[in-house]
Amino acid sequence: MVALYQGRRRSRAPTWYFNMNNILLKNINKPNSTDIETYLKGGGYKSLEKALKEYTPKDVIDIVQKSGLRGRGGAGFPTGKKWEFAAADKNTPRYLLCNADEGEPGTYKDRPIIEKDPHQLIEGIIISGYAIGAAACYIYIRGEYAYGADVLRRAIAQAYKKGFLGKKILGKKFDFDLYVHKGAGAYVCGEETALIESLEGKRGQSRIKPPFPVNVGVWNKPTVINNVETLANISHIINNGPDWFKTMGPEKCPGPKIYSISGHVNKPGNYELIMGTPLKDLIYKYGGGIRNGRNLKAVIPGGASTPVLKPEQIDVNMDYESVGAVGSMLGSGAVMVMDETVCMVGVARRLLKFFAHESCGKCSPCREGTHWLVQILDRIVSNEGKIEDIDLMLDICDNMRGKTFCPLGDGAINPVLSTIKHFKDEYLIHIEEKRCPVGYRHSEHCL
Amino acid sequence: MSDTNIEKKGYAFSKEGMNRLKEMMKDYPSSDALLLPALYIAQEEFGHLDTEALQYVADVLKVPKSKVYGVATYYTMYKTKPTGKHLIQVCTNLSCSLLGADHIVKYLENKLTIKVGETTPDKKFTLITVECLGSCGTAPMMQVNDTYYENLTEKEIDRILEELK
């Protein structure tokens, strides 16, 4: 139990976190953990040295491919594969973008890495940049993480001073620059093409794919976009080898994973465990069970855009394949826990209001669909819904699924579809009996 | 966004602000990328981004004002209207709502005797609600200007507001 944030983060109560693996969060408790000297004392930047001196860029890509590392931002795309595509494109300069636009509701796993161990991220970035032959990397950090952006800027300046960034890094023919670019408040900029648009100084609206960013990315150059947690893994893979990495968790997606647990649990927090930790353990063993001795009603396993699971579905391992098999998604690994006092129609409405607010407005299925869903959910929660509204919502969702430029639209329908699937009785009580199923009307629990 | 009622304020970046912008030009292969950072500097120096401020940024960067306006109004962190000295932003997304964000908003409304979206008459506090700020394990939470305040309780809010006064 340790309070994670100091300085401009003012938190009176402790933030819980478990450091089971001692990999990604191993430095978080050290005094002056953001200082480069602390990081160097703990063996920091050794893997950068190893990568540059012992391996060619292609070797590094092969090692990462062999490790089986998959992107931790939510989509789970094999990291080495992405690098290979970009490195194969002859167009130069290539760019690396670090996606630090952590915005998926429920997710706060990148924050401890950014705020408490920036050099781990920076080292991973430099090695990745070397592998793909990038000229520079931009860390696109959400504007609200002003504190984290300051920590990163200080750390980057230190890394330049030590010669880990800039010209002829460690005496090698390798020049690489690293910058911090602040977003300004738009969830959709976590989507890679919207992030690119935003970095280019435009409204952050997603582009249609293909072409994919690995070929036509920022300033129309080959671009790799990796999540903070993904890049934090790189130095450990180089240090310990791909076989070591593969010993952790399931064969198809090995490695450590930081799970963010929030909602009605006794000990919410960031837990570094291995990929494939059972969801039940996250809630009861690590999360300390449900608050006030209440019963579990529902769990969102991977952030707001992943489908809700029922209590009988929590016997599932938290990895991409296993969560997919029970009809949801691992997403960012952000577990949101809800107890029996929560109205699930209210939850769907709350999340849809978020998606409607964040829809970039470029493509009509998402722009119109999210707003219509909010209006219908509003009237159901106000007990003015009609029985046809359920079919109407299913129809709207059907017209959004797979028909939007980016995954925001696909994600937005999940809270609606999964609550209708698992908690249809609650919709019917709101519509037919004109009351909230958990006994509240317009209370905070209808959200 | 009509100019007619706006007193001309003659906005200009400070020397330091202009230097920061010039420094940043070296970081990007295209000066278009400076629009978001330039809007941040403008907001810091001018308080909020009214029509004249947006025109100034457009002139400095030599981009159309329509583009600057489009970008400034797209992102939630750019303020096109004046706010109080302390901008109180309460997260009301799911994790915070589950742990009483609604109550926090009501408590602040009563305490400051304003509604969400309003500013106190002494221009000290503006209260708004925002979407997820990545503090879900320490919910409920709010951000005041750039500072996160987490694990909020009524007592904690009293203390924070007293400190900010």
mmCIF file of all heavy atoms in Angstrom, chain A residues 109-143:
data_model
loop_
_atom_site.group_PDB
_atom_site.id
_atom_site.type_symbol
_atom_site.label_atom_id
_atom_site.label_comp_id
_atom_site.label_asym_id
_atom_site.label_seq_id
_atom_site.Cartn_x
_atom_site.Cartn_y
_atom_site.Cartn_z
ATOM 1 N N LYS A 109 -3.467 3.047 -16.154
ATOM 2 C CA LYS A 109 -2.287 2.190 -16.031
ATOM 3 C C LYS A 109 -1.006 2.852 -16.529
ATOM 4 O O LYS A 109 0.083 2.528 -16.060
ATOM 5 C CB LYS A 109 -2.510 0.892 -16.804
ATOM 6 C CG LYS A 109 -2.573 1.133 -18.311
ATOM 7 C CD LYS A 109 -2.885 -0.100 -19.092
ATOM 8 C CE LYS A 109 -3.043 0.190 -20.557
ATOM 9 N NZ LYS A 109 -1.843 0.661 -21.255
ATOM 10 N N ASP A 110 -1.116 3.769 -17.501
ATOM 11 C CA ASP A 110 0.080 4.416 -18.029
ATOM 12 C C ASP A 110 0.587 5.522 -17.105
ATOM 13 O O ASP A 110 1.746 5.902 -17.168
ATOM 14 C CB ASP A 110 -0.200 5.025 -19.420
ATOM 15 C CG ASP A 110 -0.533 3.950 -20.450
ATOM 16 O OD1 ASP A 110 -0.163 2.781 -20.208
ATOM 17 O OD2 ASP A 110 -1.164 4.271 -21.476
ATOM 18 N N ARG A 111 -0.320 6.018 -16.285
ATOM 19 C CA ARG A 111 0.043 7.145 -15.408
ATOM 20 C C ARG A 111 1.226 6.845 -14.491
ATOM 21 O O ARG A 111 2.148 7.659 -14.410
ATOM 22 C CB ARG A 111 -1.172 7.576 -14.595
ATOM 23 C CG ARG A 111 -1.544 9.019 -14.815
ATOM 24 C CD ARG A 111 -2.777 9.364 -14.005
ATOM 25 N NE ARG A 111 -2.422 9.940 -12.723
ATOM 26 C CZ ARG A 111 -3.293 10.147 -11.750
ATOM 27 N NH1 ARG A 111 -4.561 9.809 -11.910
ATOM 28 N NH2 ARG A 111 -2.920 10.686 -10.625
ATOM 29 N N PRO A 112 1.245 5.705 -13.772
ATOM 30 C CA PRO A 112 2.401 5.453 -12.905
ATOM 31 C C PRO A 112 3.710 5.360 -13.682
ATOM 32 O O PRO A 112 4.747 5.800 -13.193
ATOM 33 C CB PRO A 112 2.066 4.133 -12.211
ATOM 34 C CG PRO A 112 0.945 3.551 -12.957
ATOM 35 C CD PRO A 112 0.222 4.688 -13.605
ATOM 36 N N ILE A 113 3.666 4.809 -14.905
ATOM 37 C CA ILE A 113 4.894 4.712 -15.704
ATOM 38 C C ILE A 113 5.376 6.116 -16.074
ATOM 39 O O ILE A 113 6.544 6.466 -15.909
ATOM 40 C CB ILE A 113 4.662 3.874 -16.981
ATOM 41 C CG1 ILE A 113 4.256 2.442 -16.600
ATOM 42 C CG2 ILE A 113 5.911 3.868 -17.867
ATOM 43 C CD1 ILE A 113 3.842 1.581 -17.783
ATOM 44 N N ILE A 114 4.454 6.945 -16.552
ATOM 45 C CA ILE A 114 4.807 8.301 -16.974
ATOM 46 C C ILE A 114 5.276 9.142 -15.791
ATOM 47 O O ILE A 114 6.297 9.817 -15.848
ATOM 48 C CB ILE A 114 3.590 8.986 -17.646
ATOM 49 C CG1 ILE A 114 3.213 8.265 -18.930
ATOM 50 C CG2 ILE A 114 3.853 10.464 -17.882
ATOM 51 C CD1 ILE A 114 1.846 8.662 -19.477
ATOM 52 N N GLU A 115 4.521 9.084 -14.708
ATOM 53 C CA GLU A 115 4.779 10.008 -13.599
ATOM 54 C C GLU A 115 5.876 9.527 -12.668
ATOM 55 O O GLU A 115 6.501 10.329 -11.978
ATOM 56 C CB GLU A 115 3.494 10.229 -12.786
ATOM 57 C CG GLU A 115 2.418 10.951 -13.574
ATOM 58 C CD GLU A 115 1.161 11.211 -12.772
ATOM 59 O OE1 GLU A 115 1.092 10.752 -11.605
ATOM 60 O OE2 GLU A 115 0.248 11.849 -13.303
ATOM 61 N N LYS A 116 6.086 8.215 -12.606
ATOM 62 C CA LYS A 116 7.034 7.690 -11.625
ATOM 63 C C LYS A 116 8.260 7.011 -12.226
ATOM 64 O O LYS A 116 9.258 6.847 -11.545
ATOM 65 C CB LYS A 116 6.309 6.692 -10.712
ATOM 66 C CG LYS A 116 5.427 7.357 -9.676
ATOM 67 C CD LYS A 116 6.306 7.966 -8.612
ATOM 68 C CE LYS A 116 5.484 8.668 -7.560
ATOM 69 N NZ LYS A 116 6.358 9.291 -6.551
ATOM 70 N N ASP A 117 8.191 6.578 -13.461
ATOM 71 C CA ASP A 117 9.349 5.890 -14.036
ATOM 72 C C ASP A 117 9.526 6.269 -15.507
ATOM 73 O O ASP A 117 9.528 5.420 -16.396
ATOM 74 C CB ASP A 117 9.173 4.373 -13.890
ATOM 75 C CG ASP A 117 10.494 3.627 -14.063
ATOM 76 O OD1 ASP A 117 11.529 4.297 -14.194
ATOM 77 O OD2 ASP A 117 10.485 2.385 -14.068
ATOM 78 N N PRO A 118 9.699 7.583 -15.769
ATOM 79 C CA PRO A 118 9.731 8.034 -17.164
ATOM 80 C C PRO A 118 10.896 7.444 -17.965
ATOM 81 O O PRO A 118 10.778 7.251 -19.165
ATOM 82 C CB PRO A 118 9.870 9.551 -17.040
ATOM 83 C CG PRO A 118 10.489 9.779 -15.701
ATOM 84 C CD PRO A 118 9.948 8.687 -14.820
ATOM 85 N N HIS A 119 12.012 7.144 -17.278
ATOM 86 C CA HIS A 119 13.177 6.655 -18.027
ATOM 87 C C HIS A 119 12.969 5.251 -18.580
ATOM 88 O O HIS A 119 13.538 4.899 -19.608
ATOM 89 C CB HIS A 119 14.428 6.742 -17.161
ATOM 90 C CG HIS A 119 14.908 8.143 -16.992
ATOM 91 N ND1 HIS A 119 15.497 8.842 -18.018
ATOM 92 C CD2 HIS A 119 14.830 8.994 -15.947
ATOM 93 C CE1 HIS A 119 15.788 10.066 -17.595
ATOM 94 N NE2 HIS A 119 15.385 10.182 -16.342
ATOM 95 N N GLN A 120 12.161 4.462 -17.888
ATOM 96 C CA GLN A 120 11.835 3.136 -18.413
ATOM 97 C C GLN A 120 11.147 3.279 -19.772
ATOM 98 O O GLN A 120 11.444 2.557 -20.727
ATOM 99 C CB GLN A 120 10.923 2.402 -17.432
ATOM 100 C CG GLN A 120 10.481 1.044 -17.915
ATOM 101 C CD GLN A 120 9.479 0.372 -16.988
ATOM 102 O OE1 GLN A 120 9.466 -0.823 -16.870
ATOM 103 N NE2 GLN A 120 8.647 1.147 -16.331
ATOM 104 N N LEU A 121 10.235 4.251 -19.846
ATOM 105 C CA LEU A 121 9.528 4.510 -21.099
ATOM 106 C C LEU A 121 10.495 5.066 -22.153
ATOM 107 O O LEU A 121 10.507 4.609 -23.304
ATOM 108 C CB LEU A 121 8.386 5.505 -20.844
ATOM 109 C CG LEU A 121 7.621 5.994 -22.069
ATOM 110 C CD1 LEU A 121 6.946 4.845 -22.796
ATOM 111 C CD2 LEU A 121 6.585 7.046 -21.676
ATOM 112 N N ILE A 122 11.328 6.016 -21.737
ATOM 113 C CA ILE A 122 12.243 6.659 -22.690
ATOM 114 C C ILE A 122 13.225 5.635 -23.265
ATOM 115 O O ILE A 122 13.477 5.614 -24.473
ATOM 116 C CB ILE A 122 12.991 7.833 -22.012
ATOM 117 C CG1 ILE A 122 11.991 8.953 -21.695
ATOM 118 C CG2 ILE A 122 14.114 8.363 -22.898
ATOM 119 C CD1 ILE A 122 12.538 10.034 -20.789
ATOM 120 N N GLU A 123 13.734 4.754 -22.405
ATOM 121 C CA GLU A 123 14.667 3.734 -22.889
ATOM 122 C C GLU A 123 13.971 2.826 -23.912
ATOM 123 O O GLU A 123 14.533 2.528 -24.970
ATOM 124 C CB GLU A 123 15.212 2.901 -21.722
ATOM 125 C CG GLU A 123 16.309 1.940 -22.183
ATOM 126 C CD GLU A 123 16.970 1.164 -21.040
ATOM 127 O OE1 GLU A 123 16.451 1.197 -19.913
ATOM 128 O OE2 GLU A 123 17.999 0.526 -21.298
ATOM 129 N N GLY A 124 12.756 2.430 -23.601
ATOM 130 C CA GLY A 124 11.981 1.608 -24.535
ATOM 131 C C GLY A 124 11.766 2.318 -25.860
ATOM 132 O O GLY A 124 11.844 1.709 -26.933
ATOM 133 N N ILE A 125 11.516 3.621 -25.785
ATOM 134 C CA ILE A 125 11.277 4.413 -27.000
ATOM 135 C C ILE A 125 12.532 4.464 -27.873
ATOM 136 O O ILE A 125 12.467 4.292 -29.092
ATOM 137 C CB ILE A 125 10.811 5.848 -26.634
ATOM 138 C CG1 ILE A 125 9.362 5.822 -26.140
ATOM 139 C CG2 ILE A 125 10.964 6.802 -27.810
ATOM 140 C CD1 ILE A 125 8.861 7.140 -25.591
ATOM 141 N N ILE A 126 13.686 4.698 -27.232
ATOM 142 C CA ILE A 126 14.925 4.824 -28.019
ATOM 143 C C ILE A 126 15.243 3.496 -28.725
ATOM 144 O O ILE A 126 15.595 3.478 -29.911
ATOM 145 C CB ILE A 126 16.117 5.266 -27.133
ATOM 146 C CG1 ILE A 126 15.777 6.571 -26.402
ATOM 147 C CG2 ILE A 126 17.363 5.484 -27.995
ATOM 148 C CD1 ILE A 126 16.760 6.949 -25.310
ATOM 149 N N ILE A 127 15.078 2.377 -27.991
ATOM 150 C CA ILE A 127 15.341 1.067 -28.606
ATOM 151 C C ILE A 127 14.368 0.823 -29.763
ATOM 152 O O ILE A 127 14.752 0.357 -30.836
ATOM 153 C CB ILE A 127 15.215 -0.061 -27.557
ATOM 154 C CG1 ILE A 127 16.261 0.129 -26.447
ATOM 155 C CG2 ILE A 127 15.391 -1.436 -28.215
ATOM 156 C CD1 ILE A 127 16.068 -0.773 -25.250
ATOM 157 N N SER A 128 13.100 1.173 -29.562
ATOM 158 C CA SER A 128 12.098 0.979 -30.614
ATOM 159 C C SER A 128 12.411 1.843 -31.829
ATOM 160 O O SER A 128 12.259 1.410 -32.974
ATOM 161 C CB SER A 128 10.700 1.318 -30.091
ATOM 162 O OG SER A 128 10.471 0.675 -28.863
ATOM 163 N N GLY A 129 12.847 3.073 -31.557
ATOM 164 C CA GLY A 129 13.208 3.983 -32.641
ATOM 165 C C GLY A 129 14.376 3.433 -33.454
ATOM 166 O O GLY A 129 14.394 3.512 -34.683
ATOM 167 N N TYR A 130 15.330 2.845 -32.742
ATOM 168 C CA TYR A 130 16.487 2.213 -33.395
ATOM 169 C C TYR A 130 16.013 1.062 -34.284
ATOM 170 O O TYR A 130 16.454 0.917 -35.428
ATOM 171 C CB TYR A 130 17.434 1.720 -32.300
ATOM 172 C CG TYR A 130 18.605 0.884 -32.782
ATOM 173 C CD1 TYR A 130 19.645 1.457 -33.517
ATOM 174 C CD2 TYR A 130 18.683 -0.470 -32.466
ATOM 175 C CE1 TYR A 130 20.733 0.698 -33.936
ATOM 176 C CE2 TYR A 130 19.769 -1.242 -32.884
ATOM 177 C CZ TYR A 130 20.785 -0.648 -33.626
ATOM 178 O OH TYR A 130 21.850 -1.398 -34.038
ATOM 179 N N ALA A 131 15.105 0.251 -33.753
ATOM 180 C CA ALA A 131 14.629 -0.931 -34.485
ATOM 181 C C ALA A 131 13.951 -0.559 -35.804
ATOM 182 O O ALA A 131 14.197 -1.184 -36.834
ATOM 183 C CB ALA A 131 13.683 -1.741 -33.606
ATOM 184 N N ILE A 132 13.094 0.456 -35.768
ATOM 185 C CA ILE A 132 12.347 0.785 -36.992
ATOM 186 C C ILE A 132 13.080 1.827 -37.848
ATOM 187 O O ILE A 132 12.606 2.188 -38.928
ATOM 188 C CB ILE A 132 10.911 1.266 -36.696
ATOM 189 C CG1 ILE A 132 10.921 2.516 -35.821
ATOM 190 C CG2 ILE A 132 10.089 0.153 -36.077
ATOM 191 C CD1 ILE A 132 9.549 3.142 -35.651
ATOM 192 N N GLY A 133 14.199 2.308 -37.360
ATOM 193 C CA GLY A 133 14.937 3.314 -38.119
ATOM 194 C C GLY A 133 14.228 4.656 -38.132
ATOM 195 O O GLY A 133 14.183 5.346 -39.157
ATOM 196 N N ALA A 134 13.693 5.037 -36.976
ATOM 197 C CA ALA A 134 12.947 6.297 -36.901
ATOM 198 C C ALA A 134 13.898 7.463 -36.665
ATOM 199 O O ALA A 134 14.937 7.304 -36.030
ATOM 200 C CB ALA A 134 11.926 6.227 -35.781
ATOM 201 N N ALA A 135 13.517 8.623 -37.193
ATOM 202 C CA ALA A 135 14.322 9.820 -37.001
ATOM 203 C C ALA A 135 13.979 10.477 -35.681
ATOM 204 O O ALA A 135 14.816 11.127 -35.060
ATOM 205 C CB ALA A 135 14.074 10.802 -38.142
ATOM 206 N N ALA A 136 12.734 10.331 -35.261
ATOM 207 C CA ALA A 136 12.286 10.999 -34.043
ATOM 208 C C ALA A 136 11.042 10.318 -33.499
ATOM 209 O O ALA A 136 10.372 9.569 -34.204
ATOM 210 C CB ALA A 136 11.981 12.476 -34.318
ATOM 211 N N CYS A 137 10.786 10.602 -32.231
ATOM 212 C CA CYS A 137 9.547 10.120 -31.612
ATOM 213 C C CYS A 137 8.857 11.288 -30.935
ATOM 214 O O CYS A 137 9.506 12.162 -30.352
ATOM 215 C CB CYS A 137 9.849 9.026 -30.589
ATOM 216 S SG CYS A 137 8.418 8.552 -29.578
ATOM 217 N N TYR A 138 7.547 11.318 -31.040
ATOM 218 C CA TYR A 138 6.733 12.274 -30.304
ATOM 219 C C TYR A 138 5.893 11.509 -29.286
ATOM 220 O O TYR A 138 5.222 10.547 -29.663
ATOM 221 C CB TYR A 138 5.810 13.060 -31.244
ATOM 222 C CG TYR A 138 6.575 13.918 -32.220
ATOM 223 C CD1 TYR A 138 7.026 13.391 -33.424
ATOM 224 C CD2 TYR A 138 6.880 15.236 -31.918
ATOM 225 C CE1 TYR A 138 7.763 14.163 -34.312
ATOM 226 C CE2 TYR A 138 7.611 16.019 -32.804
ATOM 227 C CZ TYR A 138 8.049 15.482 -33.997
ATOM 228 O OH TYR A 138 8.777 16.249 -34.862
ATOM 229 N N ILE A 139 5.995 11.915 -28.031
ATOM 230 C CA ILE A 139 5.100 11.335 -27.027
ATOM 231 C C ILE A 139 3.843 12.200 -27.020
ATOM 232 O O ILE A 139 3.889 13.363 -26.605
ATOM 233 C CB ILE A 139 5.736 11.315 -25.623
ATOM 234 C CG1 ILE A 139 7.049 10.536 -25.636
ATOM 235 C CG2 ILE A 139 4.759 10.718 -24.604
ATOM 236 C CD1 ILE A 139 7.792 10.550 -24.300
ATOM 237 N N TYR A 140 2.752 11.661 -27.522
ATOM 238 C CA TYR A 140 1.497 12.424 -27.533
ATOM 239 C C TYR A 140 0.780 12.145 -26.226
ATOM 240 O O TYR A 140 0.220 11.076 -26.026
ATOM 241 C CB TYR A 140 0.628 12.017 -28.729
ATOM 242 C CG TYR A 140 -0.632 12.854 -28.860
ATOM 243 C CD1 TYR A 140 -0.691 13.938 -29.732
ATOM 244 C CD2 TYR A 140 -1.766 12.562 -28.106
ATOM 245 C CE1 TYR A 140 -1.835 14.714 -29.854
ATOM 246 C CE2 TYR A 140 -2.921 13.337 -28.217
ATOM 247 C CZ TYR A 140 -2.951 14.404 -29.087
ATOM 248 O OH TYR A 140 -4.084 15.167 -29.201
ATOM 249 N N ILE A 141 0.834 13.102 -25.307
ATOM 250 C CA ILE A 141 0.263 12.896 -23.978
ATOM 251 C C ILE A 141 -0.995 13.737 -23.820
ATOM 252 O O ILE A 141 -1.045 14.880 -24.297
ATOM 253 C CB ILE A 141 1.298 13.236 -22.878
ATOM 254 C CG1 ILE A 141 0.770 12.878 -21.484
ATOM 255 C CG2 ILE A 141 1.752 14.685 -22.938
ATOM 256 C CD1 ILE A 141 1.831 12.861 -20.397
ATOM 257 N N ARG A 142 -2.010 13.168 -23.205
ATOM 258 C CA ARG A 142 -3.256 13.927 -23.066
ATOM 259 C C ARG A 142 -3.007 15.199 -22.251
ATOM 260 O O ARG A 142 -2.222 15.212 -21.307
ATOM 261 C CB ARG A 142 -4.365 13.075 -22.444
ATOM 262 C CG ARG A 142 -4.121 12.642 -21.026
ATOM 263 C CD ARG A 142 -5.275 11.826 -20.470
ATOM 264 N NE ARG A 142 -6.508 12.579 -20.458
ATOM 265 C CZ ARG A 142 -7.662 12.154 -19.968
ATOM 266 N NH1 ARG A 142 -7.739 10.942 -19.461
ATOM 267 N NH2 ARG A 142 -8.740 12.888 -19.976
ATOM 268 N N GLY A 143 -3.673 16.270 -22.636
ATOM 269 C CA GLY A 143 -3.435 17.579 -22.042
ATOM 270 C C GLY A 143 -3.641 17.608 -20.542
ATOM 271 O O GLY A 143 -2.981 18.357 -19.819
#
